[in-house]
Amino acid sequence: MEHGVSAESYKDLVLFLATAGIVAPIFKRLKINPILGYLLAGVILGPFGLGRFIPVAPWLDYVTVDNPDEIAQLAEFGVVFLLFMIGLELSWERLRLMRKLVFGLGAVQVIGCSAVLGAGAMLLGQPTVAALTIGAALTLSSTAIAVPVLAEKRRLHSEAGRATFSVLLFQDLAVAPILITLAIMGRGHGTFHMADLLSLAPAAIGLGAIVLVGRLALRPMLKSVARAKSEEMFMAACLLVIIGAGLAAQVSGLSMALGAFVAGILLAETEYRHEVEVKIEPFKGLLLSLFFVSLGIRLDLSLLVAKPGVIFATAAGLLLLKTAVVFGVGLVMGLGKRAAIETALILAAGGEFAFVLLDNAMGAEVVPRPIGQAVLVSATLTMFLIPGLAALGQYLGRKSGAAQMTEAPSKDSSEREPDRVGPEPQGQVLIIGYGRVGKLVGDMLGRHELSWIGVERDARLVEQGRRDGHRIYYGDASRLELLDRCGLATVRAVVVTMDSPEQAEAVVAAARGARPDVPIVVRARDARHAARLYELGATDAVPETIEASLQLSEAVLVDVGVPMGLVIASIHERRDEYRKVLNRPDALGGRRRRLRDASLR
């Protein structure tokens, strides 16, 4: 039986997987940003790297990428998944609060940088339409690199981080109008008529359709899939949402990334947001790695040899002009000096959408291909510098006049936002399991005015809790990734009420490994199960059989006339005796309890 696919067809895929499996661990061990490693690997594996030496050494064909265009097409999904994950961390309310930064700072940055860079291109002899195209392309910064760099440095929620993200978001929104405008101006030799505004109608209709369908269909669909209790079906549904929204946006003339971003915002308001984040995170990481490799592959090193002065001068001019414009705009729009410096340097480099704009412009012969290729190489070189520029911005910000540890508050109180991204604040207590026991625990916490968040795997219980106005999220709490997204790092206590002994043990082990200091109170099946939970690090384990016996004893003693005070004292004494027997001094839970008691003295 003959097969239509040969082993060589998988060569590019194998090369990428080998890069992902080797480069990232090495660079992390060296404490170097892995993004630089992926970009460098792309340069080496591409046709302008080792591929140029194939005529001399044919064996190099086995370690070079044959079809960079196919890889670039798949790599675009890295930005799509990144924007989806960013959308999951936002909400319509948060976007409303950020409107000044998004539509104020973002709009002024795009217009200002496009004008300055376009004017610079015109001064260098480019026609008006070509100069405006180059200016608009270089104005757009790299969301795919800047956001992960800020997240790694824990700067995403600082004033500079919020300003940077807001500008990047507006840039993504502006891609479709820029493409349409440049296409119209190129067709009309620089003229623009009001009737051409109708070209934007499909984009607006498509965006409205995505929002409408998402509002009506997303929650019911995920609810149906969650009730099936199939990990594979839930993952397939998540991928369908991302790719479906992206394709709908692309058909409407928008970018796929923008469609996925809107889908993420719509899902951020549902009880499934954290489970979706956990499911999609591996895809996002892998596809973003492929995206960075594809950027390196496109870097034509021959232009660096043929025109080094032009390439490096263009890259330096881009960095200087964008830094100056963004810094000035930031100060005018109310950013502090420290935040303005950091934002300007992070946004100074080129971005991935420059390839989209210039590829279209070169295909339509609006920009000469040699000029466009040289500009793309210069933009790619600046993208290599983004991690270093981010570090430099943070350093210069600390040395500026506002060198305090925390960011200066915004002038507009409506712009102040919590450190953690999300549509609601985190709770003081995390309840794992929202069955009959979890409901009672939540009710008692509410009576004492303690906020809490619940996690439950049963979609019906999640739906019921949401109807009652509680913050219940769907997901498997035995995974540390989900616990982190539900606020494990900040809660004052964790309560595990699950009726499955194995799942309760998995949750205790995961939570204790991440938070050695947090009190963990667990529902246990019996004395043996309680002892096991103490070994895993539970602060208190409450065996159902023992508690039932103590409650029966209390009722009998009261009914036969023993004074209530004596009954309560004896019950507490007996409960402590049981705890000392089950929670041995050498158990992890015993050590945590002694440390807690010592800190309370």
Side-chain angles (χ1 to χ4, degrees):
M1 182 177 179
E2 295 184 359
H3 297 278
V5 179
S6 65
E8 292 184 359
S9 302
Y10 295 98
K11 186 186 71 172
D12 291 352
L13 176 62
V14 172
L15 283 174
F16 163 66
L17 293 176
T19 301
I22 296 173
V23 170
I26 292 177
F27 273 67
K28 285 187 176 180
R29 189 174 302 171
L30 296 175
K31 296 183 178 180
I32 302 175
N33 195 304
I35 293 174
L36 299 178
Y38 289 123
L39 289 170
L40 182 61
V43 171
I44 295 172
L45 298 176
F48 304 112
L50 294 177
R52 298 186 65 86
F53 302 100
I54 290 179
V56 179
W59 61 270
L60 289 175
D61 181 59
Y62 295 105
V63 291
T64 55
V65 174
D66 291 332
N67 301 302
D69 291 337
E70 293 182 5
I71 284 193
Q73 188 174 6
L74 179 60
E76 290 179 6
F77 282 102
V79 183
V80 171
F81 277 69
L82 173 65
L83 266 292
F84 175 78
M85 294 291 284
I86 292 173
L88 276 178
E89 294 186 338
L90 295 173
S91 67
W92 294 115
E93 176 63 19
R94 183 174 175 83
L95 281 178
R96 186 188 68 81
L97 293 174
M98 293 173 61
R99 65 189 182 278
K100 180 180 176 181
L101 289 174
V102 175
F103 298 103
L105 178 62
V108 176
Q109 184 272 334
V110 169
I111 296 172
C113 287
S114 296
V116 171
L117 294 172
M122 291 177 65
L123 290 175
L124 294 175
Q126 294 302 310
T128 302
V129 176
L132 290 175
T133 302
I134 293 172
L138 296 180
T139 293
L140 304 179
S141 305
S142 177
T143 303
I145 301 179
V147 172
V149 167
L150 285 170
E152 181 184 350
K153 293 180 174 296
R154 301 181 183 273
R155 301 290 296 164
L156 191 56
H157 311 312
S158 65
E159 185 183 3
R162 291 194 297 270
T164 301
F165 172 74
S166 299
V167 172
L168 292 170
L169 176 55
F170 185 85
Q171 290 178 359
D172 292 335
L173 292 170
V175 169
I178 289 174
L179 279 172
I180 295 171
T181 302
L182 292 175
I184 293 171
M185 296 185 70
R187 185 174 64 245
H189 303 288
T191 61
F192 188 85
H193 304 287
M194 293 302 296
D196 292 327
L197 289 175
L198 294 176
S199 301
L200 299 175
I205 294 173
L207 189 61
I210 293 173
V211 174
L212 179 63
V213 173
R215 287 280 190 182
L216 297 177
L218 276 184
R219 180 179 266 114
M221 183 189 74
L222 290 178
K223 184 191 304 180
S224 176
V225 175
R227 287 183 174 180
K229 298 182 178 180
S230 170
E231 296 286 332
E232 295 80 8
M233 290 176 60
F234 194 90
M235 183 178 295
C238 295
L239 295 176
L240 174 63
V241 169
I242 300 171
I243 297 175
L247 291 176
Q250 190 176 52
V251 169
S252 304
L254 300 166
S255 68
M256 288 188 68
L258 180 59
F261 174 77
V262 173
I265 292 177
L266 294 170
L267 274 176
E269 300 176 345
T270 72
E271 59 269 34
Y272 304 102
R273 59 174 291 198
H274 294 312
E275 183 70 8
V276 172
E277 286 177 325
V278 173
K279 286 287 190 295
I280 296 303
E281 182 65 34
F283 290 94
K284 184 206 76 173
L286 192 62
L287 289 171
L288 266 183
S289 303
L290 180 59
F291 172 79
F292 299 132
V293 171
S294 72
L295 288 184
I297 289 174
R298 297 186 193 188
L299 186 60
D300 188 352
L301 295 178
S302 64
L303 291 176
L304 286 176
V305 178
K307 303 177 181 179
V310 173
I311 299 298
F312 287 110
T314 302
L318 171 63
L319 295 175
L320 291 174
L321 288 176
K322 284 185 72 174
T323 299
V325 172
V326 176
F327 178 70
V329 168
L331 293 179
V332 171
M333 297 299 295
L335 291 182
K337 187 177 179 181
R338 175 183 180 182
I341 292 174
E342 189 173 350
T343 302
L345 285 169
I346 295 172
L347 295 174
E352 54 273 2
F353 283 118
F355 291 90
V356 178
L357 294 179
L358 290 177
D359 283 345
N360 281 303
M362 289 185 288
E365 298 183 352
V366 173
V367 175
R369 187 163 293 277
I371 299 296
Q373 290 291 349
V375 171
L376 284 179
V377 172
S378 300
T380 304
L381 287 178
T382 62
M383 294 169 70
F384 275 84
L385 302 177
I386 292 177
L389 290 171
L392 177 62
Q394 192 173 354
Y395 171 76
L396 292 178
R398 284 197 299 264
K399 293 201 69 175
S400 67
Q404 55 262 33
M405 295 301 294
T406 58
E407 297 289 342
S410 175
K411 295 180 181 179
D412 184 357
S413 61
S414 65
E415 295 292 323
R416 296 176 188 168
E417 300 173 82
D419 288 337
R420 181 178 175 83
V421 174
E424 52 198 357
Q426 296 300 295
Q428 300 180 60
V429 179
L430 182 59
I431 300 177
I432 311 299
Y434 194 67
R436 62 186 189 278
V437 179
K439 290 179 182 178
L440 181 56
V441 172
D443 178 67
M444 295 303 297
L445 290 172
R447 295 189 182 195
H448 289 272
E449 299 182 350
L450 289 171
S451 61
W452 56 275
I453 286 179
V455 181
E456 173 58 56
R457 289 196 66 177
D458 190 325
R460 282 179 283 267
L461 294 176
V462 174
E463 181 182 1
Q464 180 182 345
R466 285 269 171 167
R467 281 201 305 265
D468 294 338
H470 301 305
R471 293 178 292 163
I472 314 296
Y473 292 102
Y474 171 82
D476 180 5
S478 63
R479 292 173 300 185
L480 181 59
E481 297 89 347
L482 184 67
L483 293 176
D484 285 339
R485 285 170 168 79
C486 290
L488 177 63
T490 58
V491 295
R492 294 171 55 186
V494 177
V495 182
V496 184
T497 69
M498 308 168 76
D499 56 5
S500 169
E502 294 80 9
Q503 292 179 1
E505 292 172 10
V507 172
V508 170
R512 178 55 71 208
R515 282 287 305 275
D517 60 318
V518 71
I520 302 178
V521 183
V522 196
R523 167 190 177 187
R525 180 67 60 84
D526 50 29
R528 180 179 298 179
H529 185 216
R532 172 62 179 159
L533 292 169
Y534 280 125
E535 291 285 346
L536 292 171
T539 310
D540 286 297
V542 183
E544 294 177 342
T545 53
I546 293 177
E547 283 302 313
S549 301
L550 292 175
Q551 290 181 26
L552 286 171
S553 301
E554 180 181 353
V556 170
L557 291 170
V558 172
D559 289 342
V560 299
V562 178
M564 178 64 73
L566 294 177
V567 172
I568 293 176
S570 63
I571 292 297
H572 277 291
E573 182 180 355
R574 191 72 180 101
R575 182 179 288 115
D576 287 339
E577 291 174 0
Y578 274 120
R579 183 181 289 117
K580 289 178 181 178
V581 172
L582 299 175
N583 192 9
R584 297 179 297 102
D586 59 337
L588 179 58
R591 297 197 299 271
R592 298 312 317 168
R593 187 179 181 84
R594 288 197 301 275
L595 289 174
R596 186 193 67 175
D597 293 342
S599 65
L600 293 175
R601 292 194 185 99

